[in-house]
Amino acid sequence: METISDTTYAPSVSPPAVRPRATALRCDGLVKRYGDLVAVDKLDLEVFAGECFGLLGPNGAGKTTTVEILEGLTAPDGGRVEVLGAAWGTAHDRTLRERIGVQLQETQLSEKITVAETVRLFRSFYPRGRGVDEILRLVSLEEKRAARVGKLSGGQKQRLAVACALVSNPELLFLDEPTTGLDPQARLQLWDIVEKFRAGGGTILLTTHYMEEAARLCDRVAIMDHGRMIALGTPDELIASLGADQIIALNATGELDERRLTNLPGVRGVRRTGSESAYALTVSDIGVALPALLAELKTEQVILNTLTTHQATLEDVFVSLTGRMLRDG
Amino acid sequence: MAEVEEYVGAESVATTDEREVPAGGGSRGGEDRARHTFHPLIELTLIRLREFLREKEAVFWVFVFPVLLALALGVAFRNTAPEKIRVAVESTTNSPVAEQIVRALSVSGEIEASVLEPAEAARRLGGGSVSLVVRTRSAMPATENSIADASSASLAPANQARVFAPEVEYRYDATRPESRIARLAVDDALQRAQGRAEVARTRDERVTEPGGRYIDFLIPGLIGLNLMGSGMWGLGFNIVTARGRKLLKRFAATPMRRSHYLLSFMMSRLVFLALEVVAVLGFAWLVFGVAVRGSLISVAVIVLLGALTFSGIGLLVAARPTTIEGVSGLMNFVMLPMWMLSGTFFSSARFPEFAQPFIKALPLTAINDSLRAVINEGAPLASNWAALAVLLAWCVVSFVIALRIFRWQ
């Protein structure tokens, strides 16, 4: 298969010695300010070819600003960006744009235009890529091909937006909160599209504030807060970094001593969550910690209202790093 | 460049072969554009045309409204009989004097007089439904004749029998042309009724020449107005909407040539331009017999240049705003002076001399004047070089500035 890159930039030197993974996307010391607000604060990021990389963080963490800088839509105030080995702002910007696919968070496509017409328009911007029918099949919108965009559901609109990003067979796909506001079924359909793209060898940079999305789709996740990266790793690594694999959340009537709770066997940490007698305990061994906790409640003569346990998630990682919930913004 | 080559060298060697999986991304192959779509400029233009035709309101305002306006104004100002001069004769009671005056005024058939109470007469004069009020001053002593102003006539007894009251006074607004005409016509009728003899023999020959009627004046102006409206709104509204919906930003993230996007607006304007001008001209020709005396090619050249000019101004106005409210304000700011000054509904020559250079420099004035010269007078294109130069200047300047300050997000 002949590729554009082969003909445009023939390898001029022998391939470098073994590289574990090629870099698809990199930024160093990225800075973006809006007036006094520092939206992106000296961010370093590296995304390897063929991986799905997640930028996780609450609203206003700087995810969208970062992504739009990487997409070449916003100029950074400082730092270096390298996309598929090239920098933005050169004579080769158009060639670079042919190799990436972009879905923006807020784009609303023209409502009077049909699905097929929209895909066809975007397809016409790229010298090479897929056919309109093939793209529509890929995002399961064949039946809607003659429907106007204004008549589509939220999930269908979002799949159309992703279709427009896929028309060129991009090497690198940017998805900015692709499933925000979608119902669970629509979310699953979108995840399916992303997973297929990833399985075909494509690289993805995805932003989200849904932990389950990041945990399911992403090979590696960077957690962002206030324009900085506060954690980086695979979802499993990040959860493991809590040193706990279970969370016990309880709500009681009466006072509990946080220090005594922390010293219970199997408990790694204790945090009050919101109201006065609600606690979250991170525990490494629930079999040991739970009986000890119940015994403690009995000794303190505290009445237990609710108690739940769950597997630790990326949400818990975020909370333990920032003291806030992801969705609090 | 070195970076690019190094990266691609490593990358393409490493991964080209693995990327055969049909569903996946990353495959840089795929089929040529030509197999699936037309040139992006054509696809963009098609989208423009579809967006417009699927917007029923837009179709109404561009195609139907100008025709309706031409119909309404053409009927309101049609040249059947010359319009009568409407005057009121004041009378407190049903006096025979007032009746006599009305009869005397009706002789020529040019004047339509009615007897009214003084208060009602004053009200109608103020409202413009009568142009002049005749007040009888029979009670006035003869010595006051000289005090009365120039508009009161002393009807001295002559050899003939006195027909009615010796004195009348004309009340009218001298700044209104129709009132001054009424003053002349009424005075003439009354003096004749009193027996004034003509000293010179005169004769009227009435002409109603197509080309000199109001509808002939109006049609080129309506075409100009339509060019302005559809150019400005067509670009301004659509571009600002697309910016507000982040669609411009989305396009900016594709390899689309930005000039193609803007050119697509020009292309779709040209398609509709032909239809909209033909609609108005054809309607005026069929219904009112408005003929194009000059060459149709000259009309086409002016209309084309005019459409491009207003597209440029529309682009300029739409270059930065992100909301419809923002662009609407700007648009009104640009269009309102031209609505008033550029001679669409009445001749711009009525404005004072000092304002004329400014009015002549407005693009709509340039379109209207040159279209009128060609359509009504059959003037060649070359004689309109000044107006065409004005248009060209607006066109070039607005495009250059618009492209410089245009914001894609």
Side-chain angles (χ1 to χ4, degrees):
Chain A
M1 185 184 299
E2 180 83 340
T3 71
I4 290 278
S5 15
D6 285 339
T7 53
T8 316
Y9 312 105
S12 53
V13 289
S14 56
V18 186
R19 252 200 211 183
R21 300 188 83 173
T23 300
L25 191 62
R26 187 209 313 268
C27 68
D28 302 310
L30 203 62
V31 176
K32 181 69 189 178
R33 293 183 209 90
Y34 293 106
D36 286 343
L37 177 82
V38 183
V40 181
D41 195 1
K42 304 194 203 75
L43 185 74
D44 301 331
L45 216 59
E46 186 173 18
V47 178
F48 301 119
E51 80 172 333
C52 178
F53 188 92
L55 272 183
L56 185 61
N59 290 327
K63 304 189 298 285
T64 296
T65 308
T66 304
V67 168
E68 290 186 355
I69 292 170
L70 299 175
E71 288 164 347
L73 292 173
T74 305
D77 292 321
R80 246 170 50 92
V81 174
E82 195 185 298
V83 179
L84 300 175
W88 290 111
T90 71
H92 304 293
D93 277 9
R94 289 192 67 226
T95 323
L96 193 50
R97 292 202 182 287
E98 286 169 9
R99 301 168 64 196
I100 66 170
V102 169
Q103 170 259 324
L104 299 175
Q105 197 183 129
E106 296 169 297
T107 302
Q108 295 166 279
L109 297 161
S110 299
E111 305 226 317
K112 304 264 175 197
I113 303 303
T114 70
V115 168
E117 286 162 356
T118 304
V119 173
R120 189 182 159 103
L121 175 69
F122 277 88
R123 177 63 185 86
S124 77
F125 300 148
Y126 299 86
R128 293 185 155 266
R130 298 173 211 249
V132 173
D133 295 323
E134 191 190 340
I135 286 289
L136 289 179
R137 216 174 312 126
L138 202 64
V139 299
S140 316
L141 282 175
E142 307 106 303
E143 285 168 21
K144 290 283 170 188
R145 60 173 302 134
R148 291 193 186 174
V149 172
K151 302 272 183 220
L152 298 182
S153 70
Q156 289 164 340
K157 275 185 191 163
Q158 202 59 308
R159 273 184 280 149
L160 177 59
V162 174
C164 293
L166 291 175
V167 285
S168 63
N169 258 356
E171 291 167 59
L172 173 58
L173 179 63
F174 292 93
L175 300 174
D176 194 359
E177 300 203 356
T179 64
T180 297
L182 298 190
D183 59 61
Q185 201 202 339
R187 186 169 299 160
L188 280 175
Q189 284 179 307
L190 223 126
W191 287 352
D192 194 41
I193 298 168
V194 175
E195 280 169 343
K196 270 196 251 170
F197 177 81
R198 159 89 176 68
T203 308
I204 300 158
L205 179 67
L206 170 112
T207 77
T208 182
H209 56 244
Y210 297 118
M211 282 61 49
E212 64 273 32
E213 182 163 292
R216 166 154 174 189
L217 295 179
C218 299
D219 299 303
R220 289 191 306 142
V221 169
I223 298 181
M224 275 187 84
D225 194 37
H226 299 305
R228 293 166 178 270
M229 194 205 288
I230 55 176
L232 173 71
T234 66
D236 289 342
E237 280 168 6
L238 290 175
I239 293 165
S241 74
L242 286 172
D245 51 19
Q246 295 280 339
I247 308 290
I248 301 175
L250 69 110
N251 191 311
T253 311
E255 270 305 303
L256 279 166
D257 184 350
E258 277 182 56
R259 220 158 349 128
R260 285 176 59 106
L261 290 179
T262 315
N263 290 332
L264 291 174
V267 174
R268 289 296 192 111
V270 177
R271 210 165 22 80
R272 280 180 179 251
T273 53
S275 62
E276 65 260 36
S277 297
Y279 301 87
L281 286 68
T282 45
V283 301
S284 52
D285 188 344
I286 193 152
V288 176
L290 196 55
L293 173 66
L294 293 174
E296 170 72 9
L297 292 173
K298 201 167 187 180
T299 332
E300 297 286 315
Q301 297 194 307
V302 167
I303 301 156
L304 185 61
N305 298 329
T306 60
L307 185 144
T308 57
T309 71
H310 67 263
Q311 201 81 37
T313 65
L314 287 171
E315 172 94 45
D316 301 307
V317 176
F318 182 78
V319 172
S320 79
L321 287 170
T322 66
R324 288 177 291 125
M325 306 285 280
L326 264 174
R327 260 163 272 195
D328 290 348
Chain B
M1 265 318 284
E3 277 176 350
V4 174
E5 286 178 3
E6 187 206 340
Y7 163 75
V8 175
E11 181 60 355
S12 51
V13 168
T15 53
T16 304
D17 288 339
E18 327 166 350
R19 289 181 178 173
E20 296 286 347
V21 185
S27 157
R28 295 288 299 135
E31 298 152 272
D32 274 349
R33 163 167 48 214
R35 274 204 54 198
H36 300 287
T37 72
F38 297 126
H39 188 273
L41 181 53
I42 297 173
E43 293 287 346
L44 280 163
T45 306
L46 285 173
I47 293 284
R48 294 279 89 74
L49 299 182
R50 290 180 188 125
E51 273 178 337
F52 176 80
L53 291 174
R54 289 170 191 176
E55 193 81 59
K56 290 184 187 65
E57 293 91 336
V59 174
F60 172 82
W61 289 110
V62 170
F63 293 116
V64 184
F65 180 70
V67 166
L68 289 182
L69 194 62
L71 182 66
L73 291 172
V75 169
F77 296 97
R78 70 186 176 281
N79 300 46
T80 44
E83 209 183 333
K84 289 204 172 184
I85 296 162
R86 291 169 212 270
V87 300
V89 180
E90 261 188 21
S91 167
T92 41
T93 57
N94 255 354
S95 77
V97 178
E99 293 297 334
Q100 279 177 318
I101 292 177
V102 167
R103 227 171 294 130
L105 292 178
S106 308
V107 171
S108 70
E110 282 186 343
I111 300 166
E112 191 181 296
S114 46
V115 179
L116 293 172
E117 301 272 313
E120 176 64 9
R123 202 182 60 76
R124 293 211 189 167
L125 181 65
S129 63
V130 299
S131 304
L132 172 136
V133 173
V134 180
R135 175 180 284 173
T136 57
R137 303 195 58 182
S138 48
M140 195 176 283
T143 48
E144 279 191 23
N145 282 359
S146 52
I147 302 171
D149 68 15
S151 62
S152 87
S154 166
L155 304 178
N159 299 342
Q160 290 84 358
R162 275 171 54 170
V163 181
F164 43 75
E167 261 181 62
V168 297
E169 186 183 271
Y170 303 133
R171 297 173 53 75
Y172 66 101
D173 179 355
T175 64
R176 279 164 45 181
E178 67 274 22
S179 291
R180 290 210 299 275
I181 293 167
R183 158 75 178 74
L184 292 173
V186 168
D187 191 52
D188 183 55
L190 291 184
Q191 302 286 8
R192 277 169 194 255
Q194 285 294 64
R196 186 178 70 185
E198 302 296 341
V199 289
R201 278 215 328 211
T202 58
R203 196 167 62 86
D204 288 351
E205 190 186 1
R206 291 203 173 133
V207 290
T208 50
E209 210 179 345
R213 301 165 307 167
Y214 181 66
I215 189 73
D216 299 297
F217 175 85
L218 183 67
I219 290 299
L222 279 184
I223 293 175
L225 202 63
N226 209 18
L227 289 181
M228 175 169 82
S230 47
M232 300 277 293
W233 283 109
L235 269 81
F237 185 83
N238 284 312
I239 289 177
V240 174
T241 306
R243 187 180 291 118
R245 300 170 71 99
K246 308 282 181 209
L247 201 51
L248 286 191
K249 196 191 220 177
R250 179 65 186 85
F251 285 141
T254 71
M256 178 192 77
R257 284 191 190 277
R258 298 179 175 197
S259 57
H260 284 170
Y261 181 74
L262 301 174
L263 273 174
S264 72
F265 282 99
M266 306 293 132
M267 304 263 289
S268 68
R269 281 292 300 126
L270 295 187
V271 171
F272 290 121
L273 174 71
L275 296 174
E276 113 202 7
V277 172
V278 166
V280 174
L281 269 184
F283 173 83
W285 178 63
L286 286 173
V287 177
F288 296 110
V290 175
V292 177
R293 296 184 157 196
S295 97
L296 283 173
I297 293 171
S298 302
V299 173
V301 169
I302 296 168
V303 158
L304 200 66
L305 186 56
L308 286 178
T309 302
F310 280 117
S311 298
I313 298 174
L315 190 64
L316 181 58
V317 162
R320 298 195 80 87
T322 49
T323 62
I324 293 301
E325 290 80 4
V327 80
S328 297
L330 269 178
M331 216 108 74
N332 285 331
F333 174 76
V334 171
M335 293 203 289
L336 204 66
M338 288 192 264
W339 269 88
M340 295 192 297
L341 299 174
S342 289
T344 298
F345 297 102
F346 54 88
S347 170
S348 59
R350 288 207 191 176
F351 290 102
E353 198 59 39
F354 70 86
Q356 291 299 327
F358 170 71
I359 293 173
K360 289 257 184 276
L362 293 174
L364 184 58
T365 318
I367 294 179
N368 286 351
D369 288 355
S370 49
L371 273 183
R372 285 205 176 103
V374 172
I375 294 177
N376 297 347
E377 294 156 29
L381 201 56
S383 68
N384 293 299
W385 65 270
L388 296 177
V390 165
L391 282 180
L392 200 63
W394 275 104
C395 186
V396 171
V397 169
S398 55
F399 266 113
V400 168
I401 299 177
L403 292 178
R404 264 185 196 210
I405 67 170
F406 197 87
R407 201 156 63 178
W408 285 86
Q409 37 184 297

